[in-house]
Amino acid sequence: MTAHPAHGQLGYLQLPTRDLGRSIAFYEAVFGWTGEPQHGSFHAPGLGGQWSTDLAPATGAGPVLWLCVDDLHPALSRVVAHGGRVHGRPRLDQGARWLAEVDDPDGTRLGLVAPVRTARAQPLLAVRDVEVSSAWYQRVLGLVSDHGGPEYERLLADGVLVLQLHRHDVTHHHGPVVAEPDAPLGNGVLVWFGEVTDFDGVVERAAAAGAPVVRPPHRNPPEGGGNGPSHREIWFRDPDGYTVVVGSPDGEVWE
């Protein structure tokens, strides 16, 4: 902290701990804090502090710190994975934010505040071989597996779910994902990925993977056609015949 905080501002925080290493791992994973094991100190956004073995954990009593997180489900998952506990279901606060109460590994009660989001596309494709398709999308587009397995897959881009894969003949609890199990997969469906900075790399990796090209790299709109989205596109097919469209960032080929 380079300047003295304003009068009345929270300027330093001490948190109880029984295990410094465990506390550092928890707060780094859940909130992105930076812990320093030699002195037990930490740096958080706009705040510094220290873990102390001289303080008793505030288990269900005392003030509650409400800390902001970017996404609700990943934060709750990291709480549990790093020795914490989630208390009940999150609640929607006046339609403006999600609130959830958790304990850190020592039992100190914390509050999580997550933003409310509008609808986000999370397409699910019925595929013949989930693991083959997952490896293909990871190789060509650089997506990251968030589930794995032969029946279902979640694929992330920059930590955000952008694609789901489901084996076409597995019903799970929701029944079949295709209305006609014997019909060809991929017909009439375009899976669109925009704002892809590594456009040229995708073109190279798609060629190396042997992906059939539907429309080679081209400008949208064509040269001399004005500036519309002014990006490049390539259309090719994935292993199940779905047409995959990859677009460079809008404005990348401005005229």
Side-chain angles (χ1 to χ4, degrees):
M1 301 176 67
T2 58
H4 187 75
H7 180 77
Q9 177 184 341
L10 181 64
Y12 195 81
L13 178 64
Q14 280 188 295
L15 287 170
T17 184
R18 299 186 183 95
D19 185 323
L20 177 59
R22 185 177 63 177
S23 291
I24 290 176
F26 177 87
Y27 283 89
E28 285 185 344
V30 178
F31 302 111
W33 294 9
T34 301
E36 195 279 304
Q38 183 177 358
H39 299 100
S41 59
F42 62 80
H43 294 281
L47 181 68
Q50 188 175 38
W51 288 286
S52 173
T53 57
D54 297 330
L55 301 175
T59 54
V64 177
L65 298 173
W66 287 86
L67 300 170
C68 295
V69 297
D70 290 333
D71 288 287
L72 181 63
H73 184 269
L76 296 177
S77 298
R78 290 193 292 268
V79 166
V80 175
H82 289 82
R85 177 186 174 194
V86 178
H87 286 274
R89 291 183 175 178
R91 62 186 185 275
L92 186 61
D93 180 29
Q94 302 181 46
R97 62 192 65 83
W98 288 103
L99 303 178
E101 293 191 29
V102 306
D103 286 346
D104 76 2
D106 289 293
T108 297
R109 184 65 53 88
L110 303 168
L112 306 186
V113 185
V116 168
R117 302 188 185 280
T118 54
R120 293 187 290 186
Q122 297 174 338
L124 183 149
L125 301 181
V127 301
R128 297 179 187 88
D129 190 316
V130 170
E131 291 171 319
V132 166
S133 292
S134 174
W136 188 89
Y137 278 98
Q138 291 181 62
R139 174 185 179 186
V140 174
L141 287 171
L143 304 185
V144 176
S145 171
D146 188 45
H147 188 278
E151 297 183 354
Y152 174 74
E153 173 69 289
R154 293 164 51 95
L155 292 167
L156 311 182
D158 301 321
V160 177
L161 175 63
V162 296
L163 186 64
Q164 303 175 77
L165 305 173
H166 196 296
R167 184 166 160 172
H168 72 101
D169 58 354
V170 172
T171 60
H172 285 146
H173 62 88
H174 45 61
V177 296
V178 291
E180 300 180 29
D182 298 326
L185 299 177
N187 184 42
V189 176
L190 276 69
V191 189
W192 199 293
F193 296 91
E195 298 292 319
V196 177
T197 300
D198 186 25
F199 180 84
D200 294 319
V202 169
V203 172
E204 293 176 1
R205 293 191 294 273
V213 175
V214 177
R215 295 192 64 194
H218 59 280
R219 185 180 187 273
N220 181 4
E223 296 289 344
N227 271 319
S230 59
H231 64 220
R232 291 179 293 160
E233 295 176 10
I234 181 173
W235 296 29
F236 49 86
R237 297 198 191 282
D238 79 354
D240 289 282
Y242 290 101
T243 299
V244 177
V245 183
V246 175
S248 69
D250 287 353
E252 185 245 356
V253 285
W254 189 270
E255 286 187 335

